[in-house]
């Protein structure tokens, strides 16, 4: 209520399908590129940055910046994202975060809690602070849960055996599909 996507959240899951376009992705403030998600208060903090390690998706790996001002890279993936559709997910709680690519854990780490700031929205497709960090590509099935999903559930999403709307716990998800539906 009142805005501020993931405002002060202590646990949850972010899941989406992404296809980074060919060529160079836009840089954000923090030396990451093509951000698919971010939450940023100019001059205050940057949280929830899910982006690439370099501008070229063919060689870039996922990075997760949970919280900070600007957020340091908490996890760097082990696999380049390439040019095709990729399932991306991150789970977070007070005990740590885990980053996934196509259902495979890319790393885990413990990060700081998200900042409070009810007026700061969660941006999809950009680190929108100061007008930079825009994602060039396609996104689909962006979903957020108020709890960490299990590795098995992340695998079901990545393998398309389940969608965000048809497995146990879907009632706690916020879901945006490429056709413009928000449920």
């Amino acid at each position: 209520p009142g805005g501020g996507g993931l405002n002060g959240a202590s646990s949850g899951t972010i899941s989406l399908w992404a296809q980074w376009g060919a060529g160079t992705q836009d840089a954000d403030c923090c030396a990451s590129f093509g951000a698919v998600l971010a939450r940023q208060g100019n001059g205050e903090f940057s949280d929830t940055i899910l982006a690439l390690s370099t501008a070229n998706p063919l060689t870039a790996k996922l990075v997760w910046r949970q919280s900070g001002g600007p957020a340091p890279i908490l996890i760097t993936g082990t696999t380049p994202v390439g040019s095709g559709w990729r399932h991306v997910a991150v789970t977070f709680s007070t005990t740590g975060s885990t980053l996934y690519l196509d259902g495979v854990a890319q790393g885990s780490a413990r990060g700081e809690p998200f900042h409070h700031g009810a007026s700061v929205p969660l941006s999809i497709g950009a680190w929108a602070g100061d007008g930079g960090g825009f994602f060039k590509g396609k996104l689909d099935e962006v979903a957020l849960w108020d709890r960490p999903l299990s590795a098995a559930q992340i695998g079901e999403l990545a393998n398309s055996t389940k969608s965000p709307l048809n497995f146990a716990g879907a009632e706690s998800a916020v879901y945006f599909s490429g056709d413009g539906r928000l449920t």
Side-chain angles (χ1 to χ4, degrees), residues 4 13 19 21 31 43 55 61 63-64 83 87 95 104 110 113 117 124 126 132 145 151 161 167 175:
T13 300
Q19 182 180 35
K61 298 172 182 164
V63 295
W64 169 244
S83 61
H87 184 264
T95 60
V104 177
R110 185 174 170 92
I124 299 174
W145 285 263
T161 57
F167 72 91
Y175 175 66

Side-chain angles (χ1 to χ4, degrees), residues 36-84:
V36 294
L37 290 175
R39 186 166 174 260
Q40 196 269 344
N42 280 348
E44 297 177 37
F45 65 84
S46 293
D47 283 0
T48 328
I49 302 173
L50 189 53
L52 298 179
S53 60
T54 65
N56 182 351
L58 296 178
T59 57
K61 298 172 182 164
L62 288 173
V63 295
W64 169 244
R65 297 171 181 271
Q66 184 163 313
S67 184
I73 293 174
L74 185 61
I75 304 169
T76 300
T78 58
T79 307
V81 298
S83 61

Side-chain angles (χ1 to χ4, degrees), residues 5-179:
L6 299 181
N7 184 35
S10 60
S11 64
T13 300
I14 302 166
S15 167
L16 57 96
W17 285 93
Q19 182 180 35
W20 284 267
T24 303
Q25 292 288 315
D26 198 22
D28 68 23
C29 77
C30 312
S32 56
F33 304 83
V36 294
L37 290 175
R39 186 166 174 260
Q40 196 269 344
N42 280 348
E44 297 177 37
F45 65 84
S46 293
D47 283 0
T48 328
I49 302 173
L50 189 53
L52 298 179
S53 60
T54 65
N56 182 351
L58 296 178
T59 57
K61 298 172 182 164
L62 288 173
V63 295
W64 169 244
R65 297 171 181 271
Q66 184 163 313
S67 184
I73 293 174
L74 185 61
I75 304 169
T76 300
T78 58
T79 307
V81 298
S83 61
W85 280 100
R86 305 305 292 264
H87 184 264
V88 176
V90 64
T91 60
F92 56 92
S93 71
T94 56
T95 60
S97 295
T98 302
L99 179 64
Y100 295 87
L101 180 64
D102 296 334
V104 177
Q106 298 289 294
S108 296
R110 185 174 170 92
E112 297 296 318
F114 297 128
H115 286 94
H116 290 278
S119 64
V120 181
L122 176 66
S123 299
I124 299 174
W127 175 89
D130 297 320
F134 294 99
F135 164 79
K136 298 174 186 173
K138 298 175 185 177
L139 295 173
D140 198 14
E141 295 186 7
V142 178
L144 299 105
W145 285 263
D146 61 0
R147 62 185 172 80
L149 297 181
S150 69
Q153 290 172 314
I154 298 291
E156 289 175 323
L157 293 169
N159 293 322
S160 297
T161 57
K162 299 274 178 103
S163 82
L165 295 177
N166 70 1
F167 72 91
E171 67 281 352
S172 63
V174 175
Y175 175 66
F176 175 80
S177 70
D179 64 6

